Amino acid sequence: MQELFSLVRSALLPSLSLILTALDQESFFTTLALLDKLRLPLMTLPSLVGLLTSAHVAFGRISNMFEAGVHKDVDSDEQSETAVALSAQKVSFSPNGKAVLNGIEDLKIPVGSVVYVT
């Protein structure tokens, strides 16, 4: 990045001297000092643009989440008494792994109940 700045500076200063024919030493060194002071802010500008874009997208997602409507609850007439029904012979976490649960027949968990599995 330093090489790029040096290249830009070496291309910019002679072109400035050609454009501004009355460029004396004071103006030249003032311009050089100004370019040196602007070097760090201009180098951080691309990362700042990326961060601002990410923040804008994140706030847009949060806004969409807050503006989304609330899901309609199912009427009590349409609800069944069972929230979860499960029937399994062998349950494991991998295809050839050890069975964690064996012989579960007609496990029913009622609506609104709390289940703790150890």
Side-chain angles (χ1 to χ4, degrees):
M1 192 65 170
Q2 185 68 22
E3 295 84 16
L4 179 63
F5 181 72
S6 298
L7 180 65
V8 168
R9 185 183 347 183
S10 64
L12 184 62
L13 291 178
S15 63
L16 278 176
S17 66
L18 290 175
I19 293 171
L20 304 171
T21 56
L23 188 63
D24 55 350
Q25 286 182 346
E26 294 150 356
S27 300
F28 178 78
F29 285 111
T30 303
T31 305
L32 185 62
L34 176 66
L35 289 175
D36 191 49
K37 293 291 182 187
L38 289 176
R39 180 175 48 105
L40 184 63
L42 290 175
M43 284 174 37
T44 58
L45 187 64
S47 62
L48 180 65
V49 169
L51 289 174
L52 289 175
T53 303
S54 297
H56 179 69
V57 169
F59 280 121
R61 289 178 182 166
I62 291 171
S63 174
N64 290 340
M65 183 187 73
F66 284 138
E67 291 174 357
V70 179
H71 292 291
K72 180 185 165 222
D73 289 336
V74 178
D75 293 334
S76 60
D77 296 340
E78 299 174 11
Q79 280 185 342
S80 66
E81 295 297 321
T82 305
V84 176
L86 178 68
S87 177
Q89 294 299 319
K90 179 182 174 184
V91 178
S92 66
F93 291 109
S94 63
N96 297 325
K98 179 182 172 186
V100 183
L101 298 173
N102 288 318
I104 299 173
E105 294 181 17
D106 298 328
L107 173 67
K108 294 181 181 176
I109 301 172
V111 174
S113 65
V114 177
V115 177
Y116 179 70
V117 179
T118 59

